[in-house]
Amino acid sequence: MDRYPPIADHGLVGDLQTCALVSAEGVVDWFAAPRFDSPSLFAALLDHDRGGYFRLAPEHPGSTCRQLYYPDSAVLVTRFMSPDGVGEVVDHMVPIHGAATTRHTLVRTVRCVRGEVRFTLECRPRFDYGRATHELDLRPEGAAFRSPGGAAHLRTTFPVERDGHDVVGRVTLALGDSAVAAFTACAPDDPPPPPVTVEDAAEELGAVVDFWQDWARNSRYRGRWPDMVNRAAITLKLLTYRPTGAPVAAATMGLPEQVGGERNWDYRYTWVRDGSLSVRALIDLGFIEEAGAFTRWLGARLRDRAEVEGEALQIMYKVDGEPLLTEEILGHLEGYRGSAPVRLGNAASDQLQLDIYGEALYALTEGSEVELQAGYRGWKIVARTLDWLADSWDRPDEGIWETRGGRKDFTYSRLMCWAAFDRGVDLATRFSRPADTARWTKARDAILEQVMERGWSEKHQAYVQHYSGDVLDASLLLIPRVGFLAPRDPSWLATLDAMDRTLVSDSLVYRYDPAASPDGLRGSEGTFSLCTFLYVDALARAGRLRQARYTFEKMLTYANHVGLFAEEIGPTGEQLGNFPQAFTHLSLIMAATTLDDALDRLRR
């Protein structure tokens, strides 16, 4: 067992309220419950010795591992080829369609498909990020792990035994044999789960496959990359908290943007920006219900803040809309391969990022299928927010990348404020709603003039990150998508050329250069996968189709073995940052649909 497998060497399973990562060696090394942002039970990815894990794999040390998904599903199969035979571990969680629940079960089915395979089990939970102790109650019907504030149960179809406060076991399977181990996380006073059987697990597994394949069939994508687009869509759904419709930015916390560095954040929250951009991706694929669920969540956040003095929106929230995301350091965890500190919570929630208002209005106005759903009262809140923004847009902020180097006049923030007023005027006109459209129009036009005059660098012949410097920034790749400039405007084409010279490395795109624009943190980072897909989108809109397609195809080679992406790509092609990241997968969908449309038009 690798103490710290590569970040990319994992698949994702989930039940639409939480999720687990399973390594290619059959180890569950990340699992938090009952929600994405709850304390972990397995967190060996952040500390092999203290984090806890659930291993189920062949005993033979020389096994070759392969991992795949059942087609168009979230059922993960880890295959092991050994000299004695071929075995499989099939991991699934049953999608939960109702209200939030404290009970979440990961079912692990082991089976022998060739020869004979001896599997070993190690179940070593560590409650509350490894901070809480637990007691083990081992009985014939199964194991119960109890800790202050939490509990978990292990049910197996084969014998297990005590190993301190943990459980180990072995089972030998011949050709055609199967066995099951089911791990249930629950509240301390929840009743224990019933016994597990191979037959019941097989029936449940079939129903889970059917659910995901039925859902995926609703996609209206008919383009050139169906496998990657469908996997991206399933990943977005896995990362969405179904009770509220809020997507988390990633499944994990603390995974580094640079191994050994300090850029280790908790991404298990809902960013207004990420969720808003996901609406367009979901609409493009025909998933109107999911897009509508997030717009309702967003509308609720606007209502929550309507009577509160100060900023109209936070940049991020917990999945239930809770705004308090206090950041703390988990000093007892060594971090992935020594990447410390490990941060819980996110202090960036208190930052001022004015771009979120553009993304919020973008979400509310994208596509005829998702219209303004909140009625007259909802419109009044939107109008009040834009009235507030009309007084607030022209001031420094922390910007889209949540830098901790002080506030600046970020061009992207101004761009998205422009988009907010542009969409607001459109909404008011289209729905004949009462609004101070003259004031909004004046603000919109003032922003455009300001960006054209102060956001342009004569030195680089490009639009730049902020008004007081000449640093380029890949966030501005959204300029043509939101309609700020035409995709073939000469100044925009010059900006694309400048980005190609300074931000692009073998088709991969950096966010910006931290050395040229200090962000308050030590170390460097990899190329940002979101930005690479936005680059493809911008190239396609600019008519540079050969370059766009080649860049897109090359980017797909950086996906992991089951089609998943982390946040960044490192210098030697390794995936870095929290995993899998929703932003990357939604931008993949955006790039694919834009590129498909452009290539189709070329054929006509």
Side-chain angles (χ1 to χ4, degrees), residues 165 398 570:
H165 294 294
E398 274 89 2

Side-chain angles (χ1 to χ4, degrees), residues 182 247 469 567:
E567 184 177 28

Side-chain angles (χ1 to χ4, degrees), residues 96-112:
I96 299 173
H97 304 297
T101 177
T102 58
R103 184 181 292 265
H104 300 270
T105 300
L106 171 65
V107 181
R108 316 198 72 191
T109 300
V110 290
R111 56 197 187 194
C112 178

Side-chain angles (χ1 to χ4, degrees), residues 29 51 137 199 221 237 276 316 335 364 497:
D29 50 17
D137 182 11
E199 294 75 19
Y221 180 77
K237 183 149 180 86
S276 298
M316 71 181 90
L364 291 172
D497 292 337

Side-chain angles (χ1 to χ4, degrees), residues 288 291-293 295-296 364 369-375:
I288 309 306
T295 60
R296 289 189 291 274
L364 291 172
E369 300 95 334
V370 179
E371 301 290 5
L372 188 66
Q373 302 177 23

Side-chain angles (χ1 to χ4, degrees), residues 533-554:
F533 286 124
L534 293 182
Y535 183 54
V536 171
D537 187 277
L539 289 172
R541 291 173 185 274
R544 300 177 179 181
L545 296 184
R546 181 176 297 177
Q547 184 183 3
R549 184 163 188 177
Y550 187 47
T551 299
F552 187 72
E553 296 283 5
K554 286 174 74 174

